[in-house]
Amino acid sequence: MAAQVNSLPFVYRIDADDIIIYVNHPWIVFAKDNGAASLAKEVLGSLLWDHLCSSEVVTIYRALVRRAREEPRPRTFLFRCDSPTARREMKMTIEPLPNHHVEFRCHLLREEPHEAIPLLDTLANRSAEHLRMCAWCLRVKLHGWLELEEAISILGLLEEKMPPQISHGICERCKDAVLGDLANRQQS
C-alpha cells in the first residue's frame, strides 16, 4: 500500500560553474538511508555532472540548467527514485538563484514498499546483458517502453542470479514532460 509522504524537501544547489555548493540535512539523511552515506561528504565541491548516470542524462540536465539560467522561473516535473525495496514517486523543482546559481528541490510524494528487486540494487553483481531504463520514470525499453514491474515479470528478472547492467536514458514521454518546449525547439 502506497503511503502519502509529507517530507521536507531534499535540496542541493550548484554555482555558476555547476559545482555542488550546498546540500541540506534531509538530502544527507536520504543519501544515508539509501546506502550512500559517503556521498554526503564527497558531493560538496564536485561537478553535478559527475554524479549522473549516463551521457544522455547529463545532456538533459545541462539543458534544464541552461534553461533555468536563461528563462529565470521555476520548472517542476515528476520522477521515480526507487530503491531495491520501495517504489518512490517524487517531484523536482529546478529554480534559478542569483549569480547563475541553481537550486534543485525534491519532494517525496509517495512511497510503497515492495519485494526486493535486485535490478535496482546498485551493489549487485551484474551479468553481461544490458537493459535500457528511463532515468525519470524507470520504464524499461523492450518492444516499447514498459513499466519496470511489467518488464521484470516478462524478462523473469526476479529469478535471475545476476541482474543485467542498466544503461540510463530517457523515454519519449518523460522527454516531453521534462524538456517540454525545449525538446520541440531543438528538433526544429
Side-chain angles (χ1 to χ4, degrees):
M1 179 165 173
Q4 294 287 84
V5 179
N6 290 326
S7 69
L8 295 173
F10 314 125
V11 177
Y12 58 101
R13 293 183 189 130
I14 59 173
D15 66 10
D17 296 319
D18 305 330
I19 303 292
I20 300 170
I21 57 170
Y22 172 81
V23 296
N24 70 349
H25 184 70
W27 188 96
I28 293 168
V29 171
F30 189 75
K32 288 179 181 177
D33 289 349
N34 286 280
S38 64
L39 187 60
K41 294 176 186 169
E42 297 166 5
V43 73
L44 289 175
S46 66
L47 270 171
L48 172 63
W49 320 124
D50 292 344
H51 301 282
L52 301 177
C53 54
S54 73
S55 61
E56 186 175 6
V57 173
V58 168
T59 299
I60 291 165
Y61 268 90
R62 282 184 188 270
L64 291 167
V65 167
R66 184 174 50 253
R67 183 195 290 178
R69 290 176 175 146
E70 291 171 358
E71 303 169 19
R73 66 180 175 88
R75 303 253 195 283
T76 299
F77 57 87
L78 301 176
F79 69 103
R80 277 181 61 181
C81 183
D82 292 12
S83 75
T85 58
R87 177 186 172 118
R88 295 190 193 112
E89 296 174 16
M90 298 184 74
K91 174 177 72 172
M92 178 183 285
T93 300
I94 300 175
E95 185 164 359
L97 299 174
N99 301 316
H100 296 289
H101 291 200
V102 177
E103 179 175 273
F104 300 81
R105 227 175 11 260
C106 302
H107 289 272
L108 180 60
L109 302 174
R110 291 170 33 114
E111 185 169 35
E112 178 179 345
H114 57 64
E115 181 180 343
I117 299 175
L119 180 67
L120 298 177
D121 184 350
T122 58
L123 302 176
N125 290 325
R126 303 284 171 169
S127 72
E129 301 294 319
H130 283 79
L131 195 62
R132 186 157 172 81
M133 180 181 288
C134 178
W136 278 263
C137 67
L138 303 188
R139 291 188 312 154
V140 174
K141 177 81 170 186
L142 292 177
H143 303 292
W145 290 93
L146 301 176
E147 292 297 326
L148 173 64
E149 297 79 6
E150 184 180 5
I152 287 171
S153 176
I154 289 171
L155 296 172
L157 294 177
L158 291 179
E159 294 84 36
E160 294 288 324
K161 291 182 181 171
M162 288 195 304
Q165 297 178 45
I166 299 172
S167 65
H168 286 91
I170 188 167
C171 68
E172 294 81 13
R173 181 177 75 184
C174 289
K175 190 171 191 174
D176 289 344
V178 171
L179 294 177
D181 64 331
L182 182 62
N184 295 333
R185 281 188 276 167
Q186 287 178 337
Q187 293 173 0
S188 301

